[in-house]
Amino acid sequence: ALPGNEIEVEAPKLAEVSFPGFWETLRTVDPGPGPRAGSPRGPVVVTIDGPAGSGKSTTATAVAERLGYRHLDSGAIYRALTLALLEEGIPREAWGALELDRLRNIPLAIAPEGTELRIALGDRILADELRSAAVTAAVSDAARVPAVRARLLDLQREAGRAGGLVADGRDMGTVVFAHTPAKIFLTASAEERAQRRYNQLIHKGESVNLRALLTEIQARDERDMNRPVAPLKAADDALIVD
Ligand code: DC
């Protein structure tokens, strides 16, 4: 009932004196075993959600650095699972029918590297391969599969168990760390985000087309906002930053 607090009651039976059935009643209003998002007085989980290209990772990295927290790029976890599915040669049409047990066999893990949390697949620490065109084109198809989201939930919550984490993604504030008191939602027009991606890629020496980037961002927004599970939206208690 008080997210982030750990309260031990020494003599629970005493509640029966003034409120018979207190504990049973409390259980019915308890939001359940939600993630422990750190204590309000200690290090918390800061969530930064928003659409593709809104600057979440850049902002999250800087916020984590400023606070001395660790940074989790949850998009990288979705990308890593997508990479594994592509490498295993499972056809995209079959992803929707994947079962949780099957997905649990994929050896994904979180590997701390300084303040960054990297994603390991077996004994490979993944980096650039997560941003390949093939993974980028397929990732929202994987992210809409309920079993995929369920497979990745524990992994993400585990990373935030002790607080001291800045987590960026699409559903950090609405689902994964729904109990945390510190939520940001970054937003910008699709044109602005396409321009930003364009500048980033040009800076890296890649040849890109602004119109194609805009089309891709709009298509990804559409898929991320309209999927039935954990669609992209700002949490009611998020601070919205344009
Ligand atoms: O942030 P990104 O572009 O690396 O995310 C890749 C995809 O993963 C994005 O299209 C939606 C999905 N995703 C998600 O569904 N939930 C998250 N928390 C993070 C990413």
Side-chain angles (χ1 to χ4, degrees):
L2 291 171
N5 285 282
E6 217 161 289
I7 296 170
E8 206 169 301
V9 178
E10 287 175 352
K13 285 220 166 67
L14 288 182
E16 293 299 314
V17 176
S18 51
F19 190 155
F22 174 75
W23 297 108
E24 289 69 32
T25 307
L26 184 64
R27 261 190 289 282
T28 66
V29 297
D30 190 329
R36 278 205 50 216
S39 134
R41 271 167 276 123
V44 296
V45 173
V46 177
T47 61
I48 302 186
D49 288 307
S54 56
K56 299 185 298 292
S57 282
T58 313
T59 307
T61 304
V63 171
E65 220 173 270
R66 189 78 70 87
L67 296 174
Y69 282 13
R70 290 185 303 177
H71 170 222
L72 177 70
D73 167 5
S74 66
I77 304 182
Y78 282 90
R79 287 170 179 271
L81 191 78
T82 304
L83 178 71
L85 296 176
L86 292 173
E87 286 183 349
E88 288 189 22
I90 304 174
R92 247 153 100 166
E93 314 80 71
W95 291 1
L98 283 168
E99 293 195 355
L100 193 51
D101 282 344
R102 168 76 186 76
L103 293 169
R104 287 204 207 281
N105 289 335
I106 298 175
L108 280 179
I110 290 186
E113 184 187 296
T115 57
E116 279 299 317
L117 296 175
R118 305 272 175 223
I119 317 302
L121 179 59
D123 47 21
R124 285 149 68 200
I125 305 280
L126 304 173
D128 290 347
E129 57 269 64
L130 296 179
R131 312 248 143 228
S132 73
V135 169
T136 301
V139 62
S140 42
D141 275 349
R144 71 196 312 278
V145 177
V148 165
R149 303 203 75 84
R151 163 69 179 87
L152 300 180
L153 193 58
D154 290 350
L155 205 63
Q156 298 170 84
R157 285 189 174 160
E158 190 53 42
R161 190 131 342 250
L165 183 76
V166 181
D168 79 73
R170 303 293 190 291
D171 63 341
M172 298 298 99
T174 51
V175 177
V176 181
F177 301 111
H179 299 257
T180 196
K183 303 177 185 175
I184 308 286
F185 190 86
L186 287 186
T187 173
S189 69
E191 288 72 19
E192 197 64 47
R193 289 182 281 128
Q195 184 67 52
R196 187 173 174 276
R197 254 299 125 80
Y198 178 83
N199 296 349
Q200 270 178 345
L201 294 172
I202 291 288
H203 187 73
K204 280 205 240 165
E206 293 182 31
S207 74
V208 278
N209 173 304
L210 183 58
R211 275 232 71 79
L213 279 177
L214 178 60
T215 309
E216 190 202 303
I217 279 192
Q218 285 168 330
R220 214 130 68 87
D221 282 357
E222 181 69 22
R223 289 194 299 259
D224 289 347
M225 291 189 301
N226 293 309
R227 65 174 175 234
V229 269
L232 170 66
K233 66 168 168 44
D236 291 338
D237 51 346
L239 177 69
I240 298 181
V241 179
D242 188 331

